Amino acid sequence: MSQTPTSPVASMSDSVIGPLARHHTRQVAVVWGDQKVLIGGGAPVVVQSMTNTDTADAIATAIQVKELAQAGSEIVRITVNTPEAAREVIAIREQLDRMGISVPLAGDFHYNGHKLLTQFPDCAQALSKYRINPGNMGGGKKRDDNFAQMIEVACRHQKPVRIGVNWGSLDHELLARMMDDNVKLAEPRDGRAVMRDALVVSAISNAERAQELGLSGDAIILSCKVSHVQDLIAVYRDLASRCDYPLHLGLTEAGMGSKGIVASTAALSVLLQEGIGDTIRISLTPEPGGDRTREVIVGQEILQTMGLRAFTPMVIACPGCGRTSSTVFQELADRIQTYLREQMPTWKSQYPGVESMNVAVMGCVVNGPGESRHADIGISLPGTGEVPSAPVFVDGERTVTIKGDHIAEEFQKIVQDYVARRYGAHAR
């Protein structure tokens, strides 16, 4: 299954907002075999995710990578924190290749990455990208030497690097120096503003150092992760104004459930609307035993609802009110949405363009017919006290009216036939 980004959605009217202009950046290629994911330089915004398995358990990690890739993650990051984990990276890559999963793997390194990449060259080669956190590489000359060692490995294996600075592990020496300089000013700035500036300075200075060490500027991605919405917006606006490296967006430690989703959406949407951000990851804390793929779906839905990408047909459904005491429309909306997402691994290649399709499942006569006409295909179910029939609209025209106990099955068949008829022609 291919994870190469599809073309951005071009459905917005220029008179309303126009295609969102992207912040000008270099372009980085993340490659495995014949699979190439482009980041920056006008390419569509890429969705990433990260496993939470023990990387030393190669089978469990490969299975989760497969699940994330099939959900739509275009790059999957794995933790490489011990010799045991580094030793298993090649086995994970080989297992994925046997399963036909060509998604590129990124290695997440902290503290000992310079040792692991040097001691396990097969690991260094099997990974498609390295993530380095300069704040977790020691201090002074030790930090400089460890960083240089990792960059040398990246150059030797021709791997791109994300230099990821994090609020919680910022270079203490740099921050202390900038805080001291700030105190000497006639009008010192707020300490939080100095910390934001230190994040940007750390990211850019380390990128420049990597280039001095021989890494191409077209192999560098930057990130400055914080856990508060307004800080993230401020940091990335500043970062985008001061460099042309592709930028990875994400609210670190976003939280669980709706809080994590809302916070990530609030922060990323502002930046993406301004053209800032070339790849994203939604760092949701999963519920115990929760599905890791949720973060992928949230990332896709942010991009799709903004009109930046199309991943799977969107289902429009009303929230319900006193006119819709029946749960029929809710059950049908959920069933259709699940069905569409499950079909996408097959439909993606069989029916090009189907990912931009809109389906409306409405619950009563107030907005039902209108919304159904605006969608590619829609159904208006009867509300409380309405005639027990459900008109179906296809491409704006009312076609059939469904009645009886099998409305869900009949509408799903209509959707299936519509997809084959409209998008099947594109494949021939």
Side-chain angles (χ1 to χ4, degrees):
M1 183 184 73
S2 172
Q3 277 83 43
T4 302
T6 55
S7 299
V9 180
S11 60
M12 292 186 181
S13 167
D14 288 349
S15 63
V16 177
I17 188 169
L20 300 181
R22 307 303 305 152
H23 171 65
H24 177 69
T25 67
R26 305 166 185 258
Q27 187 169 84
V28 175
V30 182
V31 180
W32 181 254
D34 60 358
Q35 184 72 31
K36 180 186 289 188
V37 177
L38 300 177
I39 299 175
V45 180
V46 172
V47 176
Q48 298 192 38
S49 60
M50 185 175 183
T51 58
N52 61 356
T53 54
D54 180 355
T55 307
D57 186 340
I59 297 300
T61 301
I63 289 171
Q64 190 173 81
V65 171
K66 178 182 178 180
E67 291 170 350
L68 292 166
Q70 290 184 330
S73 183
E74 293 157 320
I75 297 172
V76 177
R77 184 157 44 112
I78 60 176
T79 298
V80 187
N81 59 334
T82 64
E84 292 76 17
R87 193 175 290 115
E88 292 301 319
V89 168
I90 186 67
I92 293 166
R93 182 71 269 174
E94 290 174 347
Q95 180 64 31
L96 290 168
D97 291 343
R98 284 193 293 270
M99 294 188 294
I101 304 297
S102 56
V103 63
L105 294 177
D108 191 63
F109 294 97
H110 298 271
Y111 308 110
N112 60 353
H114 57 293
K115 294 180 180 178
L116 297 178
L117 284 172
T118 303
Q119 294 171 3
F120 297 93
D122 285 348
C123 166
Q125 181 57 39
L127 294 168
S128 297
K129 180 163 74 80
Y130 308 151
R131 191 271 191 172
I132 299 175
N133 184 344
N136 286 335
M137 303 186 75
K141 186 176 185 304
K142 179 181 178 182
R143 179 191 60 242
D144 294 342
D145 291 345
N146 292 346
F147 182 80
Q149 200 169 344
M150 294 191 75
I151 296 301
E152 191 276 328
V153 173
C155 292
R156 187 188 323 141
H157 291 281
Q158 297 182 317
K159 304 293 183 178
V161 171
R162 170 159 72 94
I163 297 174
V165 183
N166 195 291
W167 185 276
S169 53
L170 183 57
D171 183 338
H172 295 297
E173 295 173 7
L174 171 66
L175 180 59
R177 186 167 63 250
M178 292 183 67
M179 286 291 189
D180 288 343
D181 291 342
N182 182 62
V183 171
K184 298 173 185 176
L185 297 175
E187 295 184 10
R189 295 188 298 159
D190 174 74
R192 202 176 186 92
V194 177
M195 186 175 284
R196 289 196 297 262
D197 192 32
L199 284 165
V200 175
V201 169
S202 177
I204 293 176
S205 61
N206 278 287
E208 291 172 345
R209 176 62 178 149
Q211 286 195 249
E212 292 171 2
L213 292 167
L215 188 64
S216 168
D218 295 327
I220 298 173
I221 300 161
L222 296 186
S223 67
C224 290
K225 294 288 195 73
V226 298
S227 54
H228 298 286
V229 171
Q230 295 298 340
D231 288 322
L232 192 82
I233 293 169
V235 165
Y236 273 89
R237 281 174 172 166
D238 189 19
L239 185 61
S241 72
R242 294 164 68 173
C243 75
D244 65 350
Y245 299 107
L247 304 180
H248 172 87
L249 298 187
L251 194 71
T252 192
E253 294 101 28
M256 296 183 71
S258 60
K259 184 270 177 183
I261 294 171
V262 170
S264 294
T265 303
L268 269 59
S269 296
V270 171
L271 292 167
L272 291 166
Q273 184 71 19
E274 295 177 4
I276 298 171
D278 303 286
T279 176
I280 65 172
R281 191 243 169 151
I282 310 301
S283 300
L284 296 180
T285 303
E287 290 80 4
D291 190 346
R292 191 67 168 179
T293 62
R294 191 180 188 192
E295 67 176 47
V296 179
I297 295 170
V298 171
Q300 290 179 330
E301 289 178 345
I302 290 173
L303 295 177
Q304 186 150 355
T305 54
M306 291 187 70
L308 292 172
R309 295 282 304 272
F311 298 94
T312 189
M314 296 289 282
V315 174
I316 301 160
C318 63
C321 67
R323 297 183 180 89
T324 55
S325 56
S326 168
T327 60
V328 173
F329 84 97
Q330 299 163 334
E331 294 162 359
L332 180 57
D334 181 65
R335 174 172 175 166
I336 292 298
Q337 185 163 276
T338 300
Y339 168 74
L340 294 172
R341 185 166 285 280
E342 288 175 347
Q343 299 308 306
M344 278 310 295
T346 302
W347 284 2
K348 197 171 187 178
S349 57
Q350 191 175 1
Y351 301 121
V354 69
E355 63 274 4
S356 62
M357 181 177 72
N358 287 316
V359 180
V361 179
M362 304 300 292
C364 79
V365 75
V366 173
N367 291 318
E371 285 285 2
S372 296
R373 284 193 177 94
H374 291 315
D376 294 301
I377 183 168
I379 185 169
S380 180
L381 294 163
T384 305
E386 294 179 15
V387 176
S389 61
V392 174
F393 297 81
V394 175
D395 293 330
E397 300 294 330
R398 181 169 175 168
T399 56
V400 298
T401 298
I402 307 175
K403 300 179 181 180
D405 298 327
H406 301 287
I407 289 177
E409 292 81 0
E410 291 183 44
F411 183 63
Q412 184 170 307
K413 180 64 166 58
I414 290 171
V415 171
Q416 198 171 10
D417 292 343
Y418 176 80
V419 168
R421 185 175 68 255
R422 176 172 176 180
Y423 299 98
H426 292 226
R428 290 195 288 270

